Amino acid sequence: MRQNKRNQFFGSLFLIFLSLSPVLGKEKELSPEQISKKKDVLSKMIRYGTSQERKQALGELVRFPKESANDLYVLVGEQLKTEKDMGMKIVLLKTVGDLDLKENHETIISLFEDTNEDVNKQAVTSAKKMKLTEATSPLLEKVKKEDFTKNSNSLALYISALGELPEGKMAAPFLETKFREKFNNPDIRGQIALYFGTVLYHEAESALLEVAFDDIQPTTLRCYSMNTLGKLKSDTAKPKLYELLDSLKKTSGKLDAKKAQSLKIYAIGALVTMGDKEVFQELNEFARDDDSMVRLRAIEFMGSLKDPKALELLEYKRDRDPSPKVQKAAKKAIDMINGKDSPSEEEKPNEDKVEEELK
């Protein structure tokens, strides 16, 4: 009987909730009375609902009018402090991050040390998204306790977050030491290389040069080091990048195809990032490469350079390249050169995405 009454109660709440929600994905203006009623429904669902009902209410809260949501934001913070369920804790952390509720920074930082690794990761992700200054030192202390000899998605996330947090550069000397220790995991060292590029840590240039042009080092680690040398606009790296590209041309067909592809793309990308004027000729050659992925990235880089000299080649690629993806990229590059379009963050040439595609 008690269970039936409870189901009826939440069933009624849910019907009210649906009646006050946008219809068929279309936003509709709510009256002050409707906002008040919806706020009351959300409050009850967050406090007393099942996990599924609470998750749904938190998802709706992200879209709720901010000027009327302060009490609900306070409620979310209170729930985060006392929540025991791992899944709900993660959803609450994500909601706090999405809503940028910085007043909960102490709770978020405390969850860096939660017994559950997934909660740790979400707490760090939310702190990263909110760019919490207070999180930098505690996160660095957490990173110092990690085992750098093992590959770890958690450690990779923590290093990436340090790069995005205010004052995250304070971790650079410690991470440089870990990067130079060759016995540490190459994937973790690669993440550190990317971190150096994010915080523009020029002091790591010599270590990055040593890795980037060492044939014995893992390909991903070399590529990420080149990526950062480009961001640091390393004058020392520039001739070495051209030497590498010449070497790849001479050894074409002898190297593992994926390894050669990655090295080509990252070397060219580093030169483009440096703003090197001579890179156009290299792009011109790689836009004719047999590997469609290499052609695709070369054409994307041409678009970012906005050099009108590329138009004739790009028009040919748009109309006749055997890869539909390359054709589409060429059309986009032409529009960019002609000032008709500019890439969004998702569409900009992204070397990290290249590595994912190769795995």
Side-chain angles (χ1 to χ4, degrees):
M1 176 71 82
R2 186 181 300 171
Q3 182 65 31
N4 287 338
K5 286 184 177 180
R6 181 189 181 284
N7 290 341
Q8 289 173 3
F9 171 70
F10 277 109
S12 300
L13 273 183
F14 188 64
L15 288 174
I16 296 171
F17 175 76
L18 287 178
S19 71
L20 296 174
S21 296
V23 180
L24 299 177
K26 295 180 180 179
E27 296 292 334
K28 70 175 185 178
E29 190 98 10
L30 297 179
S31 68
E33 182 182 354
Q34 288 174 316
I35 288 174
S36 177
K37 187 177 289 186
K38 184 171 183 178
K39 182 177 177 180
D40 183 58
V41 171
L42 288 173
S43 177
K44 286 185 171 63
M45 290 178 77
I46 292 170
R47 290 174 188 274
Y48 310 122
T50 63
S51 293
Q52 192 58 41
E53 290 164 340
R54 294 171 71 198
K55 289 174 184 177
Q56 185 173 9
L58 290 169
E60 186 66 23
L61 179 57
V62 175
R63 298 182 290 274
F64 192 77
K66 291 184 177 181
E67 62 275 10
S68 304
N70 190 59
D71 292 347
L72 294 174
Y73 293 165
V74 171
L75 174 61
V76 168
E78 291 171 350
Q79 296 275 313
L80 182 59
K81 285 180 181 178
T82 59
E83 185 59 54
K84 302 298 182 185
D85 180 80
M86 178 197 73
M88 277 308 308
K89 202 180 290 187
I90 290 170
V91 175
L92 285 162
L93 278 165
K94 185 177 185 307
T95 303
V96 167
D98 290 342
L99 292 169
D100 197 26
L101 303 181
K102 289 186 170 65
E103 59 270 24
N104 296 289
H105 66 269
E106 290 184 1
T107 307
I108 294 170
I109 292 168
S110 71
L111 292 174
F112 287 1
E113 302 301 330
D114 193 271
T115 54
N116 184 275
E117 185 179 9
D118 290 332
V119 173
N120 296 162
K121 289 162 69 175
Q122 185 58 58
V124 171
T125 299
S126 293
K128 174 183 175 181
K129 184 170 187 177
M130 299 162 72
K131 297 192 180 300
L132 292 179
T133 302
E134 301 90 342
T136 308
S137 292
L139 183 55
L140 175 55
E141 291 308 308
K142 181 175 181 61
V143 166
K144 286 180 177 179
K145 299 173 187 175
E146 297 288 323
D147 184 353
F148 282 73
T149 65
K150 297 177 181 177
N151 192 12
S152 162
N153 290 333
S154 296
L155 180 53
L157 169 64
Y158 303 157
I159 294 168
S160 171
L162 281 169
E164 300 292 336
L165 289 174
E167 302 177 16
K169 198 171 184 176
M170 68 187 294
F174 169 76
L175 291 176
E176 182 184 356
T177 299
K178 294 299 181 182
F179 181 80
R180 289 181 180 275
E181 293 172 348
K182 295 182 180 180
F183 56 79
N184 284 325
N185 182 273
D187 291 323
I188 296 301
R189 292 174 72 207
Q191 191 63 54
I192 295 172
L194 293 176
Y195 160 86
F196 291 147
T198 303
V199 301
L200 298 179
Y201 185 63
H202 290 270
E203 291 84 346
E205 182 178 351
S206 63
L208 292 163
L209 285 164
E210 183 181 338
V211 168
F213 303 104
D214 182 353
D215 291 338
I216 299 175
Q217 296 295 324
T219 302
T220 301
L221 177 57
R222 293 181 65 191
C223 289
Y224 286 174
S225 296
M226 282 188 272
N227 174 286
T228 290
L229 287 166
K231 291 179 179 177
L232 297 178
K233 303 194 183 303
S234 169
D235 289 333
T236 307
K238 193 179 297 184
K240 291 179 178 291
L241 289 165
Y242 279 112
E243 287 174 17
L244 173 61
L245 289 171
D246 286 340
S247 172
L248 289 169
K249 292 171 193 172
K250 292 172 184 175
T251 57
S252 178
K254 296 179 182 178
L255 284 178
D256 173 82
K258 284 188 176 181
K259 176 179 178 179
Q261 181 191 70
S262 295
L263 292 172
K264 287 176 186 177
I265 291 169
Y266 277 81
I268 286 286
L271 289 165
V272 170
T273 303
M274 290 177 185
D276 185 65
K277 300 294 184 184
E278 300 172 14
V279 73
F280 181 79
Q281 184 56 40
E282 297 292 337
L283 287 172
N284 202 34
E285 290 187 35
F286 284 115
R288 305 195 301 269
D289 198 277
D290 287 337
D291 189 320
S292 64
M293 183 61 71
V294 173
R295 296 199 307 276
L296 176 68
R297 297 307 174 192
I299 284 167
E300 288 180 336
F301 288 137
M302 283 181 171
S304 67
L305 285 176
K306 298 185 179 180
D307 191 330
K309 294 198 299 290
L311 283 171
E312 187 174 353
L313 179 146
L314 290 171
E315 287 167 355
Y316 176 86
K317 293 295 176 184
R318 177 194 63 192
D319 298 333
R320 301 182 63 85
D321 194 276
S323 166
K325 289 184 178 179
V326 173
Q327 291 179 13
K328 183 178 179 181
K331 182 180 183 304
K332 183 98 180 156
I334 291 168
D335 288 343
M336 290 170 64
I337 292 171
N338 290 329
K340 295 180 181 178
D341 201 1
S342 59
S344 66
E345 287 300 318
E346 292 78 14
E347 294 167 331
K348 288 179 183 177
N350 186 324
E351 294 87 347
D352 301 347
K353 280 195 251 181
V354 175
E355 196 59 43
E356 289 300 316
E357 291 165 359
L358 299 178
K359 288 179 179 177

